[in-house]
Amino acid sequence: MRTVKEPDVRKKEILDGAIRVFARKGYDKTTITDIAKELNISQGLCYRYYSSKEEIYDAALEKYANLIVQENLRKISFDIPIRELVDSITSRMEYLTDAEKEDQGLYKLFHSENSQRMHDELFLKVTKKIIPYVQEHLRKAKENGEITVEDTDSAAIIGIYGWVGMCLTKGLTDEERMEKTRLAWYKLLEL
């Protein structure tokens, strides 16, 4: 017998089931049929809510990026001077990556073997979402006389994308990455 569920509930159920299958089988090897079997529903029901496997993946990426951004923003105090903020955020890599472990299914999907491309896409999605918050904080820091950088919006973009580049650089320890990032922010913001 068919079970009728609210559209939002069903859509979330399909997404959560897909994340489990993606994590177990890998994104490339997963089909809509696999997702439907996982949930004991028809393929047609999957297609009713998502037009493709790629759309489901995009929804998983969006969900995880939002979780990471919100968890990191929750931990950051924007009420402290900019230099202290840079120091606290760059003090240890785990400060930023702990949020990634909030959802184990998503963590496994984006951090498993052969998921480098997916992890990099996640990193860029998080970056795009965090930049407006950094821009706003730098504008306030400039208004308060903490920094004199003329173009705070560009400084935020350069600083965050530079940070991402540093995080993706091979051959460095997390401590070296964070130290280089801290020094780059000092230079960029003329601290």
Side-chain angles (χ1 to χ4, degrees):
M1 186 166 128
R2 202 178 107 165
T3 304
V4 178
K5 296 183 179 179
E6 290 294 317
D8 290 345
V9 171
R10 181 64 80 180
K11 191 169 187 171
K12 181 183 181 319
E13 179 183 79
I14 293 169
L15 177 59
D16 292 344
I19 289 167
R20 286 192 304 273
V21 179
F22 289 156
R24 190 171 59 244
K25 290 185 75 170
Y27 172 76
D28 292 332
K29 294 179 182 175
T30 298
T31 65
I32 291 290
T33 302
D34 297 325
I35 296 165
K37 283 181 183 176
E38 173 80 10
L39 299 167
N40 198 28
I41 61 174
S42 70
Q43 290 179 37
L45 191 56
C46 287
Y47 283 116
R48 181 175 177 190
Y49 292 93
Y50 294 97
S51 64
S52 65
K53 177 177 84 165
E54 291 77 18
E55 187 178 339
I56 298 172
Y57 168 75
D58 289 341
L61 182 65
E62 185 72 21
K63 177 182 179 179
Y64 198 28
N66 285 336
L67 177 123
I68 291 168
V69 168
Q70 292 310 311
E71 281 299 307
N72 277 305
L73 289 175
R74 188 182 57 75
K75 293 188 310 186
I76 296 170
S77 171
F78 287 104
D79 297 331
I80 60 176
I82 192 75
R83 187 177 185 109
E84 284 180 44
L85 180 61
V86 169
D87 289 344
S88 70
I89 293 173
T90 59
S91 62
R92 61 184 185 87
M93 185 68 84
E94 294 83 22
Y95 186 88
L96 300 172
T97 58
D98 284 348
E100 294 181 34
K101 298 173 186 159
E102 290 292 317
D103 184 312
Q104 284 299 304
L106 287 166
Y107 183 80
K108 184 177 178 185
L109 173 61
F110 285 93
H111 295 86
S112 63
E113 201 174 306
N114 301 319
S115 66
Q116 188 64 50
R117 178 185 61 85
M118 292 169 35
H119 184 268
D120 293 352
E121 288 175 1
L122 173 67
F123 220 151
L124 290 175
K125 177 76 83 171
V126 169
T127 298
K128 288 178 184 175
K129 290 178 175 293
I130 203 79
I131 284 174
Y133 295 100
V134 176
Q135 288 173 323
E136 179 62 24
H137 191 64
L138 291 184
R139 277 187 224 112
K140 288 179 183 175
K142 183 176 179 178
E143 289 170 11
N144 295 338
E146 292 180 71
I147 58 174
T148 58
V149 174
E150 189 62 35
D151 185 353
T152 55
D153 286 349
S154 294
I157 293 167
I158 291 165
I160 295 296
Y161 277 107
W163 194 333
V164 169
M166 189 58 63
C167 288
L168 297 177
T169 299
K170 305 287 185 211
L172 297 173
T173 66
D174 286 346
E175 292 78 21
E176 290 169 329
R177 283 186 183 92
M178 297 307 267
E179 180 62 19
K180 288 178 182 295
T181 300
R182 178 184 305 111
L183 295 175
W185 273 108
Y186 286 173
K187 191 78 156 170
L188 181 64
L189 299 177
E190 301 169 353
L191 296 174

